[in-house]
Amino acid sequence: MKYLYLYLNIGSFIIPFIFSFHPKLKFYKKWRSLFPAIAIMMLIFIPWDVVFTNGGIWGFNENYITGYKLLNLPVEEWLFFICIPYACIFTHYSLHYIFPKFSFSEHITLLIQIALLTTMIVSLWYFYDRWYTLVNFTYTIILLGLVYNNKQKILRGFFPTFLVVLLPFFLINGILTGSFIEEQVVWYNDAENIGYRLGTIPVEDTMYALGMLLTVLVFTEILEQRKRIN
């Protein structure tokens, strides 16, 4: 299917976009903070993506993309960094609107933080020579440390949301990595990752998603706070 990656992006985005105008949610009012936050995230993740694509650490199956590229990345990959964060951050604010107390306690947040950091540090001890593992876990460790120490309230609300969005994440990313279809849309060089997969998904992808979404949420919250002050 030539347009599969494009369809997955559009399918992920369209429902959250339509409900952005719901009279009670009014998510569109956060666009002035959300889209700059997405742009900041892309300033980090796009160069990373370009380097890894050119280095053969991952790549894209021409059978599932339109063929239009920018900086050697398919347009679908650029859209991925807009559509997926949009859908997930919409989900975050919707859940917190419907369930105002949808946050973990400080104790639970600390336990999750310790578990994640310990897992990634131990993994790096053994797999520091794998580029995807090294760059991905290093970025996420630094990000989690900064957010925990400076914006812990955001983390308390983000962790339960992340558990929810993992469900569509496994569906979309599962398809991208070859579940339910003949070939992978996005392929990975397993010499540059740990080699363990959740179904067809490299285990590092969970922390990649966490780092990408937490980056967007933190900058959205910072910009929202500045907007309220002004």
Side-chain angles (χ1 to χ4, degrees):
M1 185 185 291
K2 192 69 176 173
Y3 299 103
L4 178 60
Y5 198 0
L6 181 62
Y7 291 155
L8 287 174
N9 280 321
I10 295 172
S12 302
F13 175 78
I14 191 66
I15 299 299
F17 176 74
I18 292 171
F19 277 90
S20 296
F21 302 95
H22 189 286
K24 290 186 176 179
L25 291 176
K26 297 178 180 175
F27 185 64
Y28 66 89
K29 290 191 173 182
K30 295 189 183 296
W31 284 2
R32 285 177 58 190
S33 302
L34 175 64
F35 285 114
I38 289 175
I40 292 169
M41 176 274 293
M42 291 176 75
L43 287 174
I44 301 168
F45 279 72
I46 287 290
W48 173 359
D49 202 343
V50 170
V51 171
F52 273 31
T53 300
N54 291 336
I57 294 171
W58 58 50
F60 307 93
N61 189 331
E62 298 290 337
N63 293 327
Y64 296 108
I65 59 178
T66 58
Y68 296 106
K69 295 184 180 180
L70 180 62
L71 298 178
N72 202 32
L73 294 182
V75 291
E76 294 89 342
E77 183 74 349
W78 288 81
L79 289 173
F80 172 89
F81 288 112
I82 298 171
C83 296
I84 301 302
Y86 187 98
C88 292
I89 300 302
F90 168 84
T91 302
H92 172 82
Y93 283 111
S94 298
L95 285 171
H96 282 265
Y97 176 80
I98 298 168
F99 308 107
K101 296 182 179 180
F102 194 65
S103 297
F104 286 145
S105 66
E106 291 183 18
H107 182 66
I108 296 294
T109 302
L110 176 60
L111 290 178
I112 295 173
Q113 176 86 349
I114 292 173
L116 290 174
L117 294 181
T118 302
T119 302
M120 287 188 284
I121 290 170
V122 171
S123 298
L124 284 175
W125 179 266
Y126 290 101
F127 300 102
Y128 62 89
D129 57 345
R130 316 288 173 90
W131 277 111
Y132 185 28
T133 311
L134 176 65
V135 176
N136 186 12
F137 285 3
T138 300
Y139 177 79
T140 309
I141 288 170
I142 293 172
L143 178 66
L144 282 173
L146 288 173
V147 178
Y148 185 82
N149 286 297
N150 297 289
K151 299 285 182 183
Q152 191 181 126
K153 186 178 178 182
I154 294 177
L155 210 53
R156 290 174 59 190
F158 172 77
F159 278 149
T161 298
F162 185 66
L163 292 176
V164 172
V165 300
L166 276 177
L167 295 174
F169 162 79
F170 279 120
L171 176 62
I172 300 297
N173 210 29
I175 295 171
L176 289 174
T177 53
S179 297
F180 318 117
I181 56 177
E182 292 182 3
E183 302 175 69
Q184 301 170 83
V185 178
V186 181
W187 56 262
Y188 290 81
N189 177 358
D190 283 338
E192 300 296 348
N193 59 53
I194 293 174
Y196 295 127
R197 299 212 173 201
L198 302 170
T200 56
I201 304 169
V203 69
E204 286 92 340
D205 274 14
T206 54
M207 292 301 98
Y208 185 87
L210 188 151
M212 177 179 69
L213 298 177
L214 184 57
T215 301
V216 176
L217 180 61
V218 166
F219 280 105
T220 301
E221 284 289 310
I222 291 172
L223 294 171
E224 281 289 297
Q225 189 177 17
R226 288 184 180 178
K227 196 167 70 177
R228 286 193 291 271
I229 292 173
N230 295 329

